[in-house]
Amino acid sequence: MSSTLSTEHPGGRPSAGRATWESQRSFDELGRPLRDITFTVVDLETTGGSAEGGSMITEIGAVKVRGGEVLGEFQTLVDPRGPIPPFIAVLTGISNAMVADAPPVESALPAFLEFAAGTVLVAHNAPFDVGFLKHFCEQQGRPWPAFEVLDTARLARRVITKDDAPNCKLSSLARAFGSATTPNHRALSDARATVDVLHGLMERLGGLGVHTLEELQTFSGRVSTAQRRKRHLAEGLPHAPGVYLFRDHERRVLYVGTSKDLRTRVRTYFTASETRSRMGEMVGIADSVTGIECATPLEAEVRELRLIAEHKPRYNRRSRFPEKTTFVKLTREPWPRLSLVKRVLDDDADYLGPFSSRKVAENCLAALHDTFPLRQCSDRFGKAPSRTPCVLAELGRCLSPCDGTVDHDTYAAVVRQLRDSLLRRPDRVVEQINVRMEALAADERFEEAGVHRDRLAAFIRAASRTQRLSALTRCPEVVAARRGDDGRWAVHVVRHGRLAAAGVIPPGADAHAYVASLRASAETVSGGPGPVPVATAEETEKILRWLESPGIRLVGVEGEWVCPVDGATRHLAVHDAVSRSRTELVPFDDRRDLAPVHQPAR
């Protein structure tokens, strides 16, 4: 015989956890309150442990619940198209005779998916049950409905102690929570028992401040009780994009972060998935949380960078010291040279960078010295120096202006080639180092070839970064907009690579008037020397990524926003391929695998 049962209870009937739900109805919760979520608790019986290994489903049982009330039940035996192993028959009580007339999985599965549509799936050891369901969906050519899934076994391991239950098996948890149903390896009975376990876990976690599906899905037992007690610090924050600052009792900033929903994100530090030990330590010290609402996510990201640079919070690892950068400088003097400097001066010199690591800057400098034999001494020379040449001159690695070996015009021609490589075409550096790498590799001097590869990589990245940054920072103003998922237009005003204003055009407002008003109220920004004169490189790069994202409309550009057609960006794809390989030395070749050059509209 076969049996199929699918019943719905319009009014619902209370389950063992109903009292819990009633006690939670006064909470103004974040995310999706658990009391409003419809769960489908499912259990399967199968002929074995692996669907990929040929095991089949023999029974599907499910219970649909919401707010502590049972809305419906589903149960069907399934024809496995083969004999049920004897030990499985003994374990489940499902015999070959019972499934002889049962519907096949091709009929049972669609019926279950219809029953569970639009709900959150719950199972005890969910990877097993959901894995079988997904397998047969794929086998039948059905798209998986992309259910959200909650695993009561995984959740119990985070909540239940040895004093509560000896283990996290369904039978042990059912006894611990006083389930009205005893699990017996039949699908519907086990699903009913899992419902009571789910409600018991929710009741336990409700006392720890877990009241939404998002908090339940990400709950971790590693979040201490002391952390959870501070969840009230999130209550005054808005459901809006922005920046949040954790402060101690002396109002010192401990940590700065950003989120599309300030209140929801901050609450996770107290009730959910935040398990980083440093963050637990920070929350323990925190006395308050300040939220700064922002018009757009890009504004929030930029504000975060600026606040981290300003306050240098000890629990932020990145972006705390944007001033600690290095540039490669081509000096302006009678006999120019390359040097490493910490800041950019208004001295008409050319700068490459910034580099966050001095070692990388040194690699870049070495690549340039390998290609262009400029002097490397730091002495100041007049127009007609007369000194003893250095060792580099004797090795042929310096043109030796110090002893008059080279005339001024010849030296200036090399400087012009170097300047062109820095600002426009890096081909001379790429070709020269490629030749050297190939020669070393041919002699099986791979470690030396690897050194030159790293130098070239440092130069290519720096030149590409400098050219992209300079292209934007040269523009006095760029105004751009993009339509969001809600249909509203986000507008940003960028001046010399710095975000000067951000806003969202209100529904029904005149777009031209709004943009004009935003421009008028934007921060006044004056340009300066160097690739990043008025903002950090990280800020300008965030702005560039937004400007280069799909759907951007340029409202207005003051100046010319262009990158060199033959610039360093076209070498990046090859560079990345080489960088990923630490064993095979592939020379750079700009005739293959070229990265597209970003050329914004004028």
Side-chain angles (χ1 to χ4, degrees), residues 140-185:
Q140 296 174 25
R142 299 180 183 277
W144 176 248
F147 291 105
E148 291 183 88
V149 178
L150 192 64
D151 186 351
T152 51
R154 183 182 179 191
L155 190 60
R157 285 192 287 270
R158 297 175 176 180
V159 179
I160 299 302
T161 67
K162 290 293 184 181
D163 293 333
D164 299 317
N167 53 55
C168 291
K169 294 180 180 179
L170 180 59
S171 56
S172 299
L173 295 175
R175 283 194 297 271
F177 287 115
S179 173
T181 306
T182 300
N184 60 0
H185 294 290

Side-chain angles (χ1 to χ4, degrees), residues 283-342:
V283 170
I285 301 171
D287 185 67
S288 64
V289 182
T290 303
I292 302 174
E293 195 169 339
C294 298
T296 68
L298 177 61
E299 182 191 0
E301 291 176 11
V302 169
R303 282 186 178 272
E304 177 189 33
L305 288 176
R306 295 179 186 176
L307 287 167
I308 291 173
E310 176 186 353
H311 295 285
K312 297 180 175 24
R314 57 174 164 156
Y315 290 97
N316 283 95
R317 292 187 180 274
R318 301 179 60 186
S319 309
R320 287 198 300 166
F321 301 102
E323 67 277 7
K324 291 185 177 181
T325 56
T326 303
F327 292 84
V328 173
K329 177 180 180 178
L330 177 60
T331 62
R332 289 278 185 173
E333 52 185 313
W335 304 95
R337 62 188 177 88
L338 292 166
S339 65
L340 297 182
V341 298
K342 290 293 185 183

Side-chain angles (χ1 to χ4, degrees), residues 42-220:
V42 62
D43 185 81
L44 304 182
E45 301 303 330
T46 66
T47 61
S50 171
E52 288 78 6
S55 299
M56 301 293 291
I57 297 173
T58 57
E59 187 177 30
I60 303 174
V63 182
K64 187 184 296 185
V65 294
R66 182 176 63 240
E69 296 179 348
V70 174
L71 305 180
E73 293 183 334
F74 177 96
Q75 188 273 333
T76 181
L77 292 168
V78 181
D79 181 4
R81 294 200 184 91
I84 298 173
F87 75 94
I88 295 291
V90 171
L91 179 68
T92 64
I94 301 174
S95 65
N96 292 317
M98 292 171 64
V99 297
D101 297 327
V105 69
E106 289 80 7
S107 300
L109 181 58
F112 167 74
L113 294 177
E114 182 180 356
F115 175 80
T119 67
V120 175
L121 284 189
V122 180
H124 199 73
N125 190 20
F128 176 85
D129 300 276
V130 175
F132 266 85
L133 295 171
K134 283 184 175 180
H135 173 81
F136 287 105
C137 269
E138 182 179 354
Q139 193 176 79
Q140 296 174 25
R142 299 180 183 277
W144 176 248
F147 291 105
E148 291 183 88
V149 178
L150 192 64
D151 186 351
T152 51
R154 183 182 179 191
L155 190 60
R157 285 192 287 270
R158 297 175 176 180
V159 179
I160 299 302
T161 67
K162 290 293 184 181
D163 293 333
D164 299 317
N167 53 55
C168 291
K169 294 180 180 179
L170 180 59
S171 56
S172 299
L173 295 175
R175 283 194 297 271
F177 287 115
S179 173
T181 306
T182 300
N184 60 0
H185 294 290
R186 290 299 301 269
L188 185 57
S189 295
D190 287 5
R192 288 170 175 166
T194 304
V195 168
D196 292 336
V197 170
L198 173 66
H199 288 162
L201 291 170
M202 288 180 176
E203 182 176 4
R204 180 75 60 89
L205 292 173
L208 299 177
V210 175
H211 303 297
T212 69
L213 178 62
E214 290 75 14
E215 292 170 342
L216 188 66
Q217 289 170 324
T218 58
F219 176 81
S220 171

